């Protein structure tokens, strides 16, 4: 199937699933469209196994022709992160900066070690020969929460403001840190030359710190341009150029494009909105980015649902995936709990913060994209399958029930926000 035809099919599916979800299911759009895409994929697989229709094979071949890693990491991600960070209040983010920074750095590293170490034991117990570095690669790609999935769910629930900022802020920053950690481990795994501690530190500073600094620079340049004109068509085009050109240039400079887009989005969404835009520009800019955000979100989660057609489906992989789900949840609970425990002496947390933040740890397209970027081999097939199992669980179970979890632990705050 040609790329243009596949894009047409994808948009038609997005529209159909979004319509059905809005009319009948009432789930957050990302969850609803992924659920329906997954069900369609399973039905097609069953029909294909029964040799009733070639449609499953045709669609599976089409899905395999799409480089999911490129589509997400070098296509959709920059737009989605910028759109998500546009509406984050910088003042509220500063108030929660200590816990967000802890979860986005120490939390990701601790989760990587806990998940990687535990899954190494699981693989050994089940007879899978998976090198330890690949186990830590899985820990790195599955530890960060997915900002796209998280922000999609937060739009549909009335979370207490402090909890909402913690969840959104962590998701926006820890995916960038997680990608950097993954790339460092990937370099160690595939490198033919000796990797030194100094080289790892330099790479982290270049990717993470350099990415945030680069985002600040390009965001400021865009801010100055926005301030010098009052034409919403031109200003929307400037923000679009900021994302597309900035993300591409970040990659060329070997800095973190995701972190650059988050920082640039925060700057434009706060200082730019307050000092460089008229009311007409603000309204049209918000409309443009909200629409683009919704379309790309729907397309991404339909793709995630269809990706099951391209997986290597083996019963033993399914068993390992079921084991990986509680491993990832427990590691998330420990890493969040550690961060809260360390900071509790300086600031106050609500009694249920660790439980809620643990359940808010949704994974999504970024984890799947990173797993698909691994070198072709038996380890890749296994890790992609269990990554998909964890992603599907977090979105379809944790995502669907997150509103109820909030209602259970914070009934008064949720009721106050929904008034």
């Amino acid at each position: 199937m040609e790329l243009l035809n596949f894009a047409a099919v994808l948009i038609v599916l997005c529209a159909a699933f979004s319509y059905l979800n809005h009319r009948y299911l009432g789930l957050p759009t990302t969850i609803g469209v992924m659920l329906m895409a997954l069900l369609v994929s399973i039905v097609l697989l069953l029909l294909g196994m029964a040799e009733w229709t070639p449609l499953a094979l045709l669609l599976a071949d089409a899905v395999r022709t799409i480089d999911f890693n490129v589509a997400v990491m070098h296509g959709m991600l920059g737009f989605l992160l910028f759109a998500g960070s546009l509406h984050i209040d910088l003042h509220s983010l500063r108030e929660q900066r200590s816990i967000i920074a802890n979860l986005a750095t120490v939390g990701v590293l601790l989760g990587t070690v806990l998940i990687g170490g535990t899954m190494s034991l699981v693989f050994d117990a089940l007879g899978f020969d998976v090198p330890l570095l690949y186990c830590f690669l899985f820990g790195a790609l599955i530890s960060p929460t997915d900002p796209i999935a998280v922000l999609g769910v937060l739009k549909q629930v009335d979370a207490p403001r402090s909890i909402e900022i913690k969840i959104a802020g962590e998701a926006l920053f820890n995916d960038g840190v997680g990608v950097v950690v993954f790339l460092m481990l990937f370099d160690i795994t595939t490198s033919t030359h000796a990797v030194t501690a100094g080289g790892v530190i330099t790479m982290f500073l270049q990717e993470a710190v350099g990415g945030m600094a680069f985002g600040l620079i390009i965001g400021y340049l865009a801010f100055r341009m926005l301030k010098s004109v009052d034409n919403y068509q031109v200003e929307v085009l400037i923000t679009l150029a900021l994302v597309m050109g900035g993300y591409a240039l970040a990659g060329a400079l070997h800095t973190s494009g995701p972190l650059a887009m988050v920082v640039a989005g925060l700057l434009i969404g706060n200082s730019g909105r307050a000092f460089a835009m008229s009311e007409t520009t603000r309204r049209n800019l918000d409309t443009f980015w909200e629409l683009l955000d919704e379309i790309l979100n729907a397309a991404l989660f339909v793709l995630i649902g269809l990706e099951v057609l391209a997986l290597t489906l083996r019963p033993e992989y399914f068993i390992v995936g079921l084991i990986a789900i509680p491993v990832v949840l427990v590691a998330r609970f420990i890493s969040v709990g550690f961060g809260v425990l360390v900071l509790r002496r300086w600031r106050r947390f609500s009694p249920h913060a660790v439980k809620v933040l643990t359940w808010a740890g949704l994974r999504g397209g970024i984890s799947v994209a990173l797993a698909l970027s691994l070198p072709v081999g038996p380890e890749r097939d296994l890790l992609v399958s269990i990554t998909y199992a964890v992603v599907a669980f977090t979105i379809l179970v944790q995502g669907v029930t997150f509103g109820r979890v909030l209602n259970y632990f914070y009934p008064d705050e949720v009721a106050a926000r929904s008034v």
Side-chain angles (χ1 to χ4, degrees):
M1 188 181 292
E2 293 181 4
L3 181 60
L4 186 59
N5 290 337
F6 182 79
V9 171
L10 183 61
I11 293 299
V12 170
L13 290 176
C14 289
F17 293 160
S18 297
Y19 173 81
L20 293 171
N21 178 66
H22 183 76
R23 283 294 304 272
Y24 302 110
L25 297 182
L27 295 171
T29 302
T30 51
I31 296 173
V33 297
M34 178 186 164
L35 176 60
M36 282 184 276
L38 184 58
L39 291 175
V40 167
S41 298
I42 292 171
V43 170
L44 288 175
L45 282 173
L46 294 175
L47 291 175
M49 289 175 185
E51 298 183 352
W52 290 345
T53 175
L55 182 59
L57 295 175
L58 180 65
L59 197 53
D61 288 341
V63 170
R64 290 192 187 99
T65 63
I66 301 297
D67 191 326
F68 193 89
N69 179 268
V70 172
V72 175
M73 302 303 295
H74 302 287
M76 299 179 181
L77 185 58
F79 296 100
L80 291 167
L81 288 177
F82 182 82
S85 57
L86 272 178
H87 299 285
I88 300 295
D89 179 58
L90 198 55
H91 176 71
S92 300
L93 198 65
R94 285 196 194 102
E95 291 179 346
Q96 305 292 340
R97 63 184 180 276
S98 56
I99 184 64
I100 290 172
N102 191 290
L103 292 174
T105 53
V106 177
V108 170
L109 293 172
L110 184 57
T112 298
V113 172
L114 289 172
I115 294 170
T118 305
M119 289 308 299
S120 177
L121 297 175
V122 171
F123 291 140
D124 287 343
L126 295 177
F128 290 98
D129 184 20
V130 180
L132 184 60
L133 276 174
Y134 273 86
C135 298
F136 286 125
L137 276 170
F138 173 69
L141 67 87
I142 208 68
S143 289
T145 57
D146 188 281
I148 303 161
V150 168
L151 293 174
V153 170
L154 284 176
K155 291 176 186 176
Q156 308 292 324
V157 299
D158 295 306
R161 188 63 180 165
S162 62
I163 289 290
E164 181 181 354
I165 290 296
K166 288 186 185 79
I167 295 170
E170 178 205 2
L172 285 169
F173 283 99
N174 74 359
D175 74 292
V177 174
V179 170
V180 172
V181 173
F182 177 87
L183 291 175
M184 289 192 299
L185 289 171
F186 186 82
D187 189 52
I188 294 171
T189 305
T190 59
S191 178
T192 56
H193 59 273
V195 178
T196 64
V200 170
I201 293 171
T202 300
M203 181 180 178
F204 181 82
L205 291 175
Q206 180 178 345
E207 287 279 348
V209 179
M212 289 188 284
F214 180 69
L216 192 63
I217 293 169
I218 61 175
Y220 179 74
L221 291 175
F223 168 79
R224 298 298 303 180
M225 293 175 70
L226 292 170
K227 193 172 182 181
S228 65
V229 297
D230 185 17
N231 182 297
Y232 75 84
Q233 293 99 330
V234 174
E235 292 176 83
V236 168
L237 193 56
I238 289 171
T239 60
L240 194 58
L242 167 63
V243 174
M244 297 183 72
Y247 200 92
L249 187 54
L253 295 174
H254 301 291
T255 61
S256 173
L259 288 175
M261 290 304 101
V262 170
V263 173
L266 288 172
L267 195 154
I268 299 299
N270 287 268
S271 297
R273 190 187 301 275
F275 304 113
M277 299 178 194
S278 65
E279 182 57 37
T280 300
T281 297
R282 280 193 290 270
R283 185 170 60 251
N284 284 283
L285 190 77
D286 286 344
T287 300
F288 173 81
W289 281 103
E290 285 170 11
L291 181 60
L292 188 61
D293 185 40
E294 288 296 326
I295 293 171
L296 290 178
N297 258 306
L300 173 59
F301 280 85
V302 168
L303 270 178
I304 293 174
L306 294 177
E307 192 64 30
V308 73
L309 292 169
L311 295 180
T312 302
L313 300 176
R314 294 171 55 181
E316 56 268 37
Y317 289 1
F318 180 73
I319 293 170
V320 181
L322 290 178
I323 296 172
I325 290 168
V327 169
V328 171
L329 267 175
V330 171
R332 168 76 177 167
F333 182 82
I334 293 172
S335 59
V336 171
F338 177 79
V340 170
L341 183 66
V342 168
L343 296 172
R344 197 180 288 278
R345 66 176 64 184
W346 293 288
R347 54 167 300 162
R348 182 178 170 273
F349 291 91
S350 64
H352 307 294
V354 175
K355 301 175 191 136
V356 172
L357 288 171
T358 297
W359 202 247
L362 308 186
R363 276 71 172 184
I366 296 174
S367 294
V368 176
L370 291 176
L372 288 168
S373 72
L374 294 170
V376 175
E379 296 91 355
R380 178 184 185 271
D381 292 341
L382 172 61
L383 294 183
V384 168
S385 297
I386 62 177
T387 298
Y388 194 91
V390 174
V391 167
F393 177 85
T394 63
I395 293 174
L396 299 178
V397 177
Q398 293 174 228
V400 169
T401 59
F402 183 62
R404 297 175 191 172
V405 170
L406 283 174
N407 233 354
Y408 180 79
F409 288 119
Y410 301 106
D412 296 335
E413 292 92 334
V414 169
R417 286 208 68 183
S418 61
V419 172

